Amino acid sequence: MAKELSNEIDENMQEADIITKLMAADPDNVPTMVIPLKRLGIPVTLKALTGKQVSRLRDRNTQTIKTKNGPVDKLDNEAFGIALIAAASAKPNWNDPKLIEKFKASSGSEVIKRLLLAGEISLLSDAVLDVSGYNLTLDDIKN
């Protein structure tokens, strides 16, 4: 049976104890969040992404545009939001062949783009960033 970890953190913990806890940490055990989409009548389960994953998705959805003042990076917010949802979704599987066929899509990202409304994409992509630890305040971390 898995040992339950206490939510209480001893601020006076010794370095050796901290290292022991870090060594026992499971990097695959990440927070999840369930967001209900009332219009579709489904729950969407999102898992946290690492900073590296978010950064990679941001880079893939950023274009460098030449201007008279020099090159400027421009993030495609819609594509970035869809990529966040596709990468973080534990349920549903947007890449399910039935969905791909039904929506005549080439990928799960394309299914998301065709099925979800703009506000739903915004809601879910914001939730991905929230569950991934972005938008936290110091008080959130302390509690």
Side-chain angles (χ1 to χ4, degrees), residues 2-9 20-22 24-26 29:
K3 185 171 118 178
E4 295 235 358
L5 296 177
S6 170
N7 285 337
E8 296 295 318
I9 297 175
T20 301
K21 283 213 179 248
L22 290 173
D26 179 4
N29 184 15

Side-chain angles (χ1 to χ4, degrees), residues 93-112 114:
N93 174 8
W94 301 106
N95 287 306
D96 186 288
K98 293 176 201 164
L99 291 174
I100 301 272
E101 183 180 333
K102 161 82 172 142
F103 293 101
K104 296 178 178 35
S106 59
S107 67
S109 293
E110 193 68 29
V111 171
I112 293 167
R114 293 180 185 190

Side-chain angles (χ1 to χ4, degrees), residues 108-123:
S109 293
E110 193 68 29
V111 171
I112 293 167
K113 187 175 185 177
R114 293 180 185 190
L115 184 59
L116 300 182
L117 301 175
E120 293 166 335
I121 291 170
S122 178
L123 170 76

Side-chain angles (χ1 to χ4, degrees), residues 13-28:
M13 187 181 288
Q14 299 298 312
E15 180 72 16
D17 295 330
I18 293 170
I19 299 298
T20 301
K21 283 213 179 248
L22 290 173
M23 295 295 292
D26 179 4
D28 294 327

Side-chain angles (χ1 to χ4, degrees), residues 13-100:
M13 187 181 288
Q14 299 298 312
E15 180 72 16
D17 295 330
I18 293 170
I19 299 298
T20 301
K21 283 213 179 248
L22 290 173
M23 295 295 292
D26 179 4
D28 294 327
N29 184 15
V30 296
T32 60
M33 181 184 292
V34 177
I35 304 293
L37 292 181
K38 290 182 182 179
R39 181 179 68 88
L40 298 173
I42 64 165
V44 177
T45 304
L46 303 169
K47 64 181 190 302
L49 300 176
T50 65
K52 186 175 185 176
Q53 289 170 309
V54 172
S55 180
R56 193 176 304 136
L57 293 172
R58 185 177 290 117
D59 289 346
R60 285 185 193 151
N61 292 286
T62 300
Q63 293 180 336
T64 301
I65 299 171
K66 294 179 184 176
T67 66
K68 51 185 159 182
N69 295 330
V72 175
D73 288 340
K74 181 166 177 17
L75 177 66
D76 181 340
N77 288 315
E78 180 187 26
F80 177 57
I82 290 169
L84 283 173
I85 296 165
S89 290
K91 284 190 224 171
N93 174 8
W94 301 106
N95 287 306
D96 186 288
K98 293 176 201 164
L99 291 174
I100 301 272

